[in-house]
Amino acid sequence: MATFKDLKLKPELLQSLQDLGFSTPTPIQASAIPVLLQGQDVVGQAETGSGKTAAFGLPLLHNIDTNLQQVQALVVVPTRELAVQVRKELKQYGKQIDNMKIGAFYGGHAFSEERASLAHPPQLLIGTPGRLTDHLNRRTLDLTFTKQLVMDEGDKLLEMGFEEEIDQLVAALPSQRQTILFSATMPEGVKKLIADSLHNPRFIQATSTTI
Ligand code: ADP
Ligand code: MG
């Protein structure tokens, strides 16, 4: 069984994982992390509770240049609750990395608070599609330095009718980027999104859960 150390993650991440008591990567983590660290696009399918957030989050954190104050990684999630949860989890993983800034944009609180945070943009931004495109339209969000994009719960993003917002976000990112999509199911809409937005993705499926 692989350990997190075998996955060649940076020492600060290994320290956080140890502090959290995570000893072994879950199957989706063990399969996806090496491929993501190589820079390949990935489609990941695994059931709820299988550790998908760390599967994409650890490579994002590993790759961020903390000397650059720009949004370098964007995680798009379908709901505000998930945005809050993913931010909390990624903050735990990233807490040993100096100057790592993780932020979240979602509806339900003052727009101005989020705009203020853009004077020093987070390097890793999590958000809901509607709120993120609002920021793009108001020119309070710059995604031209965003080299990594994650669409989490892809099936739910489409079920909730966010296709247009996702198209707009994808169009605002550089074409030279890594794109990652996680989804519990693969309906036709998700397959189309994969075909339109990912480049030669590796498909990774993990069925068993060991958490
Ligand atoms: P998913 O997105 O697949 O539904 P999460 O990423 O939310 O699942 O993970 C579920 C829970 O498992 C979280 O509370 C997380 O902290 C924990 N977890 C993730 N990876 C590991 C691991 N390798 N070992 C122990 N616990 C883990
Ligand atoms: Mg998840």
Side-chain angles (χ1 to χ4, degrees):
M1 189 63 114
T3 63
F4 282 108
K5 212 168 174 180
D6 297 329
L7 301 178
K8 306 262 184 334
L9 290 164
K10 58 165 78 184
E12 296 94 326
L13 292 171
L14 295 177
Q15 184 61 53
S16 303
L17 293 167
Q18 196 182 323
D19 293 348
L20 288 166
F22 290 13
S23 50
T24 321
T26 66
I28 188 76
Q29 291 164 3
S31 309
I33 291 172
V35 180
L36 289 171
L37 290 176
Q38 283 167 15
Q40 240 192 290
D41 283 4
V42 163
V43 175
Q45 192 177 4
E47 60 207 66
T48 302
S50 54
K52 294 191 288 293
T53 312
F56 66 72
L58 293 169
L60 296 185
L61 291 162
H62 181 94
N63 286 330
I64 282 169
D65 173 5
T66 50
N67 293 315
L68 178 64
Q69 286 264 317
Q70 297 287 351
V71 179
Q72 297 171 52
L74 177 68
V75 180
V76 184
V77 298
T79 65
R80 180 196 316 184
E81 291 71 25
L82 195 58
V84 171
Q85 188 189 319
V86 169
R87 175 179 52 186
K88 187 173 162 219
E89 195 168 332
L90 296 187
K91 274 193 171 173
Q92 286 187 315
Y93 302 145
K95 70 168 185 270
Q96 302 288 342
I97 304 177
D98 290 340
N99 304 316
M100 176 67 73
K101 220 174 144 190
I102 300 174
F105 284 179
Y106 47 85
H109 58 98
F111 211 94
S112 56
E113 285 171 39
E114 292 173 346
R115 199 165 49 206
S117 77
L118 279 168
H120 302 283
Q123 290 124 343
L124 199 170
L125 177 63
I126 300 133
T128 52
R131 192 64 160 207
L132 289 167
T133 51
D134 279 350
H135 275 284
L136 278 182
N137 295 334
R138 293 175 191 220
R139 305 199 188 288
T140 49
L141 174 61
D142 179 6
L143 295 177
T144 57
F145 292 85
T146 310
K147 296 290 185 58
Q148 294 178 282
L149 170 67
V150 177
M151 295 178 267
D152 191 20
E153 306 211 352
D155 47 3
K156 206 160 172 204
L157 283 168
L158 296 181
E159 270 168 36
M160 293 179 65
F162 288 128
E163 196 181 333
E164 266 180 41
E165 285 85 352
I166 289 168
D167 286 349
Q168 193 188 340
L169 288 166
V170 169
L173 263 66
S175 53
Q176 289 279 15
R177 62 164 193 268
Q178 183 179 40
T179 312
I180 302 156
L181 181 138
F182 274 82
S183 194
T185 60
M186 291 290 156
E188 284 308 311
V190 175
K191 288 182 186 154
K192 182 177 183 300
L193 178 61
I194 293 165
D196 291 347
S197 313
L198 278 71
H199 177 71
N200 287 337
R202 180 87 71 89
F203 285 79
I204 296 173
Q205 209 167 8
T207 44
S208 63
T209 303
T210 58
I211 295 177

